[in-house]
Amino acid sequence: MLQLVVWLLGLAEITIVLFRDIIPSSGYSQQILALLLPSHAHPHTSHAILNPCFLTGTTLIIAGGVLRLFCYRALGRLFTFEVSVQKKHKLITNGPYRIVRHPSYTGMVMMSAGIFIWQTAPASWIRQSGMLENVGVRFLVIAFTLWTLALCYSSYARAPLEDTIMSNEFGDQWKRWAREVPYLLIPYIY
């Protein structure tokens, strides 16, 4: 669901930039812009793709996604959404797991923060379109924000639980790795 929302919002952003700023003389430009930016939404307001919030949000989304991809690759078949130890489980200490003990959670938090920054910026499509004036859309935005915060909190809460399980399973090997990689989510901070 999160991926679908991000892709749809991104497509709306790209479409507006394309038809308003790159090919405004296209026969379809005014019709598409009228659909995505109703007249009350100030369609001539700058929506430049290179605004700081868009760049910061996009950078966090891409960096978080790439980090999670590296985690999936490092874990391979050991990756699950449930905290568990599998048959023939081994402690993964390479790739992003050399920097923090729970880099997949770090990537998820980065992506969530990026989406929030990207879509709450004054130049974002959801703000310029006037959609936030709709009570139902406001409810969805609040629900999405609360869900994202819950995901971030669960990452923060699950990391120590996973550490306990891995410590019990791998004993001294885990303790050596935990000394070498003391940070759970953010290098040199936490």
Side-chain angles (χ1 to χ4, degrees):
M1 185 67 164
L2 179 60
Q3 287 179 342
L4 177 63
V5 169
V6 171
W7 281 104
L8 289 174
L9 292 171
L11 184 60
E13 299 273 354
I14 291 166
T15 302
I16 291 168
V17 169
L18 179 67
F19 286 104
R20 193 195 55 222
D21 302 333
I22 298 174
I23 54 170
S25 58
S26 165
Y28 298 107
S29 290
Q30 293 308 311
Q31 295 160 337
I32 291 171
L33 290 173
L35 178 67
L36 293 174
L37 290 172
S39 60
H40 68 280
H42 313 295
H44 299 292
T45 303
S46 175
H47 190 78
I49 196 166
L50 297 179
N51 71 68
C53 289
F54 182 86
L55 291 175
T56 301
T58 301
T59 300
L60 284 169
I61 293 166
I62 292 169
V66 168
L67 179 57
R68 284 183 62 89
L69 179 64
F70 285 152
C71 293
Y72 295 147
R73 287 199 173 156
L75 288 174
R77 67 168 184 78
L78 297 175
F79 178 83
T80 64
F81 288 100
E82 295 177 17
V83 178
S84 64
V85 175
Q86 300 176 29
K87 285 184 180 179
K88 298 183 182 179
H89 203 112
K90 63 180 186 172
L91 185 64
I92 304 298
T93 60
N94 61 334
Y97 293 90
R98 288 179 294 151
I99 301 166
V100 293
R101 294 200 302 262
H102 304 278
S104 182
Y105 294 156
T106 304
M108 184 172 52
V109 170
M110 289 169 65
M111 290 171 58
S112 298
I115 293 166
F116 185 80
I117 292 167
W118 181 41
Q119 286 304 306
T120 58
S124 71
W125 170 71
I126 200 161
R127 301 236 350 231
Q128 283 196 16
S129 68
M131 289 182 66
L132 288 178
E133 294 171 17
N134 180 302
V135 174
V137 172
R138 279 188 187 181
F139 174 78
L140 289 174
V141 168
I142 290 168
F144 181 77
T145 301
L146 291 174
W147 182 71
T148 302
L149 289 171
L151 278 177
C152 292
Y153 177 75
S154 72
S155 298
Y156 174 79
R158 278 178 60 149
L161 171 65
E162 286 186 19
D163 278 353
T164 300
I165 291 170
M166 292 294 141
S167 175
N168 291 340
E169 182 70 20
F170 296 105
D172 289 338
Q173 181 187 10
W174 184 89
K175 288 175 186 166
R176 279 191 304 276
W177 175 62
R179 279 192 302 272
E180 292 172 17
V181 182
Y183 302 103
L184 275 69
L185 300 172
I186 304 168
Y188 307 105
I189 297 174
Y190 175 73

